[in-house]
Each structure stands twice: as structure tokens, then as C-alpha cells.
Amino acid sequence: MITIVGASLAGLTAARELRSLGSDAPITLIGEEPWFPYDRPPLSKEALTDETVGSATAPHAGATGLLTDGEDQSFSWRLGVRAQGLESTADGYLVHTSPGLDLPAADQLIVATGARPRSLIGDHLDGVHVLRTVDDTRAIRAGLTTARTVVIIGAGFIGAEIASTAVTLGKHVTIVEAAAVPAANALGPDIARWATTLHSRAGVDLITGAAVDTLDGDDHVESVTLGDGTELPADLVIIGIGSVPNTEWAAESGIAIDDGFVADADGATSMPDVYAIGDCARPLDVRTGLHVRHQHWSAAVDQGRRAAHRIMGLPAPAMRSRYFWSDQYGHRIQVCGEIPVGLSPTVIEGDVAQDCFVAVFGDPGDPVAVAAVDSPRTFMRARKAMDAAFSRERAACAASGATTQA
């Protein structure tokens, strides 16, 4: 019996991989939402204007659903169920839930409970939203139909993507960001500075180095007050200031938790036969020796596959470099690898001034990271080369035993 706590991309990927590797064990997926697994990246993009997303009745999430026809029959599902505790017994692992379900003990357990958005005081007001779920998208989409002034708190990828959509709908959009250069950690300061120009060119007001003091209004939000006293009118506010891993439900189990479930490079945690994947996991990065949460679509897929291989006692699939993308103002930004602090990029194709380029960090012949805008073919060639190099590096680390320490 295999139980997967978390019915989203990471959990579904692990379940699919187990079946593809020949596992005939019963697999149960527990999901807090009432929906079958669905794709989250579109939620901050086209789903904000596409009424087919979230319009279907549960458990189908409409256009972003991930299941193929009949695939739901391959597994057992417990949807609309929240995990509230984890207990190790002589018969296996018990997951306590709300509402209480009589679930059989699991021989292997995969934890994929994801993360929840950080919020701010005042988020109880009507018109204030975060974005994580298909229901959040539906609420924001409804708000965008009547809102005139939108304030987005946080200029990360989610905030930038929502701003990109909102401004095309004719809204007056202001982004408030605490950092001096938004997205510098993800893109490096040079490319991040280019990305900030997209906001101004689209007519979005970007306020950087600013803190939010209060969200103001009676029942419905009316304004956002900054730390310096500036008051921004707002009838729709979206908070995008990061996330918190969902680990509290297992805190009393004894499993190692430190800003996520601590795991080795293949997802194995401090508890035997318990694996952590996706946004709630903090796996080992074999190159740096650090445990890092990678909250990206590709990481969820890679981690789900690796955990399944580990459970089946099979060699791990090739490890790939970190990859993520963002669609903003008609441009696709793609990044592969870890952009080092203080390392400037070298443009090897295109022109930053023309909003179409490929930039590498480090040796152009063997880069540590690649960033590209609207250059998918060259980027994919570079990504494949980096993945091959990363796989060789990982194999060398595995030979030294570096991947087995959680």
C-alpha cells in the first residue's frame, strides 16, 4: 500500500511513474482540494481570462486538468481531505485526516502537500486575494471584471504575470515590491533590470524598495498604505510575496522539518519509507551540499520521478538542471541552472535592447546557467547540454556517496 499525501503535479507524477515502473501496489492519493490534479502555471496567465478554467464541477478543474481519459481509475482518491497528522505504527504509516477517514496503513508514504501563499494583515477584506489554487484564480478573474485599480504586492513571477494580464484588460495596475531590483535572485540583477522595463513600457506603475503598512477599507479593500505613508487606491489587491511549506500537519511525527521536509536528492526523508517531493520538500542539492526548496513545475516532475524510482529500488533517472519559465507582456523568459551571485551574463545571441536574446553565465562553452527571452530553440539546445553535464556531475557525486545524506 502506497499513500501519497498531496494530489497535485508532484504526487500525480510519482503515482504515474510507479505504475510505469511496474508497481501493482494499491496507490491512494489524498488531496485537500476537491479537484483532481491540475496544472498550476496557467493560473497566473491565461486562466485569468479563460472562463473554462474552474468552471467545471468538482472534481474536474476544466482546461488545466492533468488526468488523461480514464486515468482516475488507476488510483484511489480521497479529495477534499486535509492531512492533520502522521503516525508510525507496527503496521505502517497512518495519515490522520479531517474529516476523519479510516485509511489503511501505508508501507510507503510520499508527502507532496505543497505550500501556501504568505499573506498580510487585512487579507480578510473583500477584494484581497492570493493565488495558489484554481478557486483563487476564479475569484481573481471575477474581481478583474469590475475592478478599475489593481495593486499587486510582490513583483515576483506570479505578480508580474498577473500584472501582465490585468493591464491588457485595461486596468490601472501598480506593483509594490520590497526589493530594489525585482526578481534579481532568480534572473540575476542584469536581466532582472531588463525585466523591470517591461512593466513601465506596458503602463504599469512599479514601486520598488517599498514596504506595505496596511490594507485599508471597511468590508471591501479601498486602498493600500505604504510604510512611507503613500496611499494607493485599490479595489482589487493581489498578494504575491512567497510561500510557506505545508509541514505543520506532520510536525509531531518526528520527521525532520526545516523550511520544508528535509530529504536527500531522491526524496528520502529522515523516516524510513517516507519521501517528500514538490513545494513542501527541501531536497539535497548534490552540487552545493545544501538543502533547497525548488518551487517550479519541472522540479515537481523530477522529484516525483526520482522518488518512484527509489521506492522501486531502481537507479535514479538522470538529474536535470533547475529550469523555470515565465510569460510576461507577450515575452517568454526561460532560465536553466543556478545563476551565481555577482556573475554578469554574456549575451551570445540576439540583443537585450530588442527583447530577444540568449545570455549565459560563466564559460560560454560550459555555462552554469542560461537565460533566454523569446529564443526557445537556442535555449533548448543549451538546456540539453547543461542537463547532460549535470547528469555526469551527479553520477560522480553518487559514486562518492554524496546523494545519500539527508
Side-chain angles (χ1 to χ4, degrees):
M1 172 71 181
I2 300 172
T3 296
I4 301 175
V5 190
S8 194
L9 176 64
L12 177 62
T13 298
R16 283 173 167 168
E17 193 76 1
L18 286 164
R19 286 285 183 257
S20 71
L21 295 174
S23 174
D24 58 3
I27 298 176
T28 298
L29 290 96
I30 301 172
E32 182 176 358
E33 294 183 68
W35 312 94
F36 281 131
Y38 59 87
D39 213 12
R40 295 187 191 276
L43 299 185
S44 57
K45 307 178 183 72
E46 59 267 25
L48 289 175
T49 56
D50 183 354
E51 293 186 358
T52 65
V53 177
S55 61
T57 57
H60 298 283
T64 65
L66 290 172
L67 293 183
T68 58
D69 289 342
E71 189 176 21
D72 58 304
Q73 302 300 315
S74 300
F75 316 109
S76 296
W77 301 89
R78 300 293 186 270
L79 301 176
V81 173
R82 174 180 294 185
Q84 289 194 320
L86 172 60
E87 180 182 359
S88 177
T89 72
D91 296 325
Y93 291 104
L94 289 177
V95 177
H96 302 295
T97 67
S98 175
L101 292 179
D102 186 16
L103 296 174
D107 302 304
Q108 284 95 22
L109 182 70
I110 299 176
V111 177
T113 44
R116 62 189 182 276
R118 295 183 184 276
S119 196
L120 295 168
I121 296 174
D123 62 359
H124 65 284
L125 294 171
D126 289 341
V128 177
H129 303 277
V130 294
L131 178 55
R132 176 74 183 183
T133 70
V134 68
D135 293 314
D136 294 334
T137 291
R138 182 164 50 187
I140 294 172
R141 187 171 63 228
L144 285 170
T145 62
T146 57
R148 292 178 298 174
T149 55
V150 179
V151 173
I152 298 171
I153 302 170
F157 289 154
I158 288 179
E161 289 166 0
I162 295 173
S164 176
T165 299
V167 75
T168 63
L169 295 174
K171 312 303 176 182
H172 181 274
V173 181
T174 301
I175 301 178
V176 179
E177 167 60 38
V181 182
N185 289 339
L187 300 175
D190 297 278
I191 295 176
R193 277 190 283 269
W194 164 82
T196 62
T197 68
L198 296 178
H199 299 302
S200 59
R201 282 188 274 160
V204 173
D205 294 330
L206 175 62
I207 303 173
T208 60
V212 172
D213 188 16
T214 59
L215 307 180
D216 307 305
D218 293 327
D219 297 321
H220 195 283
V221 67
E222 297 175 2
S223 63
V224 176
T225 301
L226 306 184
D228 63 0
T230 300
E231 186 174 319
L232 304 173
D235 44 24
L236 182 67
V237 173
I238 299 151
I239 302 170
I241 53 174
S243 66
V244 180
N246 292 322
T247 60
E248 294 86 351
W249 66 276
E252 296 183 5
S253 68
I255 192 171
I257 297 173
D258 182 7
D259 188 34
F261 294 103
V262 181
D264 71 9
D266 296 327
T269 70
S270 62
M271 298 180 75
D273 296 314
V274 178
Y275 304 84
I277 58 177
D279 290 358
C280 69
R282 195 160 167 249
L284 178 70
D285 184 326
V286 298
R287 296 165 299 174
T288 65
L290 302 175
H291 292 269
V292 181
R293 282 201 301 136
H294 291 303
Q295 301 178 75
H296 302 293
W297 190 96
S298 60
V301 171
D302 291 345
Q303 292 170 22
R305 295 183 63 231
R306 298 183 73 80
H309 278 71
R310 183 73 166 263
I311 288 173
M312 296 296 290
L314 297 173
M319 183 175 282
R320 300 188 293 179
S321 298
R322 183 181 73 150
Y323 167 69
F324 59 91
W325 77 93
S326 180
D327 295 327
Q328 302 176 26
Y329 305 103
H331 298 287
R332 169 153 289 193
I333 303 168
Q334 295 175 285
V335 177
C336 181
E338 302 279 352
I339 296 177
V341 176
L343 188 61
S344 297
T346 300
V347 176
I348 62 170
E349 179 180 294
D351 187 346
V352 174
Q354 298 299 316
D355 302 330
C356 182
F357 61 90
V358 179
V360 299
F361 293 80
D363 182 353
D366 185 23
V368 295
V370 178
V373 175
D374 295 340
S375 304
R377 291 184 179 179
T378 301
F379 177 83
M380 289 307 298
R381 288 196 296 269
R383 183 188 177 193
K384 288 179 180 179
M386 285 186 60
D387 285 346
F390 188 22
S391 184
R392 292 191 296 270
E393 182 180 348
R394 194 268 176 182
C397 290
S400 67
T403 65
T404 60
Q405 303 300 314

